[in-house]
Amino acid sequence: MATYVVLIDWTQQGVSTFQDSLDRYEAAQGRFAKLGVTFKDAYWTLGSHDLVAILDAPDGETLAAALLILSAQGNLRTTTLRAFNPDEMRSVIAKTE
Protein backbone atom coordinates (compact mmCIF):
# COMPACT_ATOMS: atom_id res chain seq x y z
CA MET A 1 0.00 0.00 0.00
CA ALA A 2 1.42 3.37 -0.98
CA THR A 3 1.02 6.50 1.15
CA TYR A 4 0.07 9.88 -0.30
CA VAL A 5 -0.14 13.38 1.14
CA VAL A 6 -3.04 15.25 -0.45
CA LEU A 7 -3.17 19.04 -0.19
CA ILE A 8 -6.76 20.19 -0.52
CA ASP A 9 -8.08 23.62 -1.43
CA TRP A 10 -11.73 24.57 -1.32
CA THR A 11 -13.31 26.06 -4.40
CA GLN A 12 -15.73 28.95 -3.99
CA GLN A 13 -18.53 26.37 -3.85
CA GLY A 14 -16.68 24.42 -1.16
CA VAL A 15 -15.97 27.41 1.04
CA SER A 16 -19.54 28.68 0.73
CA THR A 17 -20.72 25.36 2.22
CA PHE A 18 -17.86 24.90 4.71
CA GLN A 19 -20.39 23.84 7.36
CA ASP A 20 -20.81 20.58 5.43
CA SER A 21 -17.07 19.88 5.37
CA LEU A 22 -17.13 17.14 8.02
CA ASP A 23 -20.11 15.44 6.39
CA ARG A 24 -18.32 15.51 3.02
CA TYR A 25 -15.20 14.04 4.65
CA GLU A 26 -17.18 11.18 6.20
CA ALA A 27 -18.91 10.49 2.89
CA ALA A 28 -15.55 10.47 1.10
CA GLN A 29 -14.22 7.89 3.57
CA GLY A 30 -16.99 5.50 2.56
CA ARG A 31 -16.57 6.10 -1.16
CA PHE A 32 -12.81 5.75 -0.99
CA ALA A 33 -13.00 2.53 1.06
CA LYS A 34 -14.91 0.89 -1.80
CA LEU A 35 -11.86 1.57 -3.99
CA GLY A 36 -9.40 0.35 -1.36
CA VAL A 37 -8.25 3.88 -0.43
CA THR A 38 -8.13 4.70 3.29
CA PHE A 39 -7.65 7.92 5.21
CA LYS A 40 -4.82 7.60 7.72
CA ASP A 41 -5.39 11.17 8.90
CA ALA A 42 -7.06 14.41 7.87
CA TYR A 43 -6.47 17.94 9.10
CA TRP A 44 -8.25 21.23 8.47
CA THR A 45 -5.42 23.74 8.21
CA LEU A 46 -4.52 27.41 8.24
CA GLY A 47 -2.20 28.77 5.57
CA SER A 48 -1.70 27.86 1.93
CA HIS A 49 -4.13 24.90 1.93
CA ASP A 50 -7.49 24.31 3.56
CA LEU A 51 -7.00 20.64 4.39
CA VAL A 52 -4.23 18.05 4.39
CA ALA A 53 -5.06 14.35 4.16
CA ILE A 54 -2.77 11.35 4.52
CA LEU A 55 -4.12 8.47 2.43
CA ASP A 56 -3.13 4.88 1.70
CA ALA A 57 -3.96 3.54 -1.74
CA PRO A 58 -3.06 0.40 -3.69
CA ASP A 59 -1.54 2.54 -6.47
CA GLY A 60 -1.54 5.99 -8.02
CA GLU A 61 -4.23 5.17 -10.55
CA THR A 62 -6.68 4.10 -7.85
CA LEU A 63 -5.99 7.23 -5.84
CA ALA A 64 -6.41 9.38 -8.94
CA ALA A 65 -9.81 7.79 -9.58
CA ALA A 66 -10.90 8.42 -5.98
CA LEU A 67 -9.77 12.06 -6.11
CA LEU A 68 -11.50 12.59 -9.47
CA ILE A 69 -14.77 11.31 -7.99
CA LEU A 70 -14.33 13.71 -5.09
CA SER A 71 -13.24 16.70 -7.19
CA ALA A 72 -16.12 16.22 -9.62
CA GLN A 73 -18.49 17.40 -6.88
CA GLY A 74 -17.01 20.87 -7.31
CA ASN A 75 -16.05 21.57 -3.69
CA LEU A 76 -12.30 21.20 -3.88
CA ARG A 77 -9.08 20.90 -5.86
CA THR A 78 -6.20 18.65 -4.86
CA THR A 79 -2.43 18.39 -5.13
CA THR A 80 -1.02 14.94 -4.46
CA LEU A 81 2.41 13.99 -3.14
CA ARG A 82 3.70 10.40 -2.97
CA ALA A 83 5.18 9.85 0.49
CA PHE A 84 7.88 7.30 1.34
CA ASN A 85 8.37 5.92 4.84
CA PRO A 86 11.95 5.17 6.00
CA ASP A 87 11.91 1.55 4.77
CA GLU A 88 10.56 2.57 1.36
CA MET A 89 13.19 5.28 1.10
CA ARG A 90 15.92 2.73 1.88
CA SER A 91 14.62 0.68 -1.05
CA VAL A 92 14.69 3.76 -3.30
CA ILE A 93 18.26 4.55 -2.28
CA ALA A 94 19.30 0.92 -2.79
CA LYS A 95 18.18 1.14 -6.41
CA THR A 96 20.72 3.91 -7.02
CA GLU A 97 23.69 1.70 -6.14
Side-chain angles (χ1 to χ4, degrees):
M1 202 58 93
T3 299
Y4 298 87
V5 176
V6 181
L7 307 173
I8 302 168
D9 299 305
W10 283 329
T11 62
Q12 184 57 45
Q13 175 181 310
V15 78
S16 68
T17 57
F18 70 89
Q19 299 93 334
D20 300 330
S21 181
L22 288 167
D23 293 335
R24 290 193 301 256
Y25 165 66
E26 291 169 353
Q29 286 179 303
R31 276 186 240 118
F32 281 26
K34 292 177 185 175
L35 295 172
V37 177
T38 57
F39 281 83
K40 290 175 78 173
D41 251 323
Y43 302 95
W44 284 253
T45 58
L46 301 175
S48 299
H49 302 284
D50 298 308
L51 295 99
V52 175
I54 312 299
L55 302 171
D56 279 342
D59 52 60
E61 292 86 356
T62 303
L63 180 65
L67 292 175
L68 283 169
I69 291 167
L70 194 61
S71 295
Q73 296 173 6
N75 294 308
L76 53 81
R77 303 231 182 277
T78 63
T79 301
T80 304
L81 307 167
R82 172 62 165 95
F84 297 94
N85 67 32
D87 288 336
E88 291 169 327
M89 194 61 205
R90 283 188 214 300
S91 178
V92 170
I93 291 169
K95 292 177 188 279
T96 68
E97 299 170 351

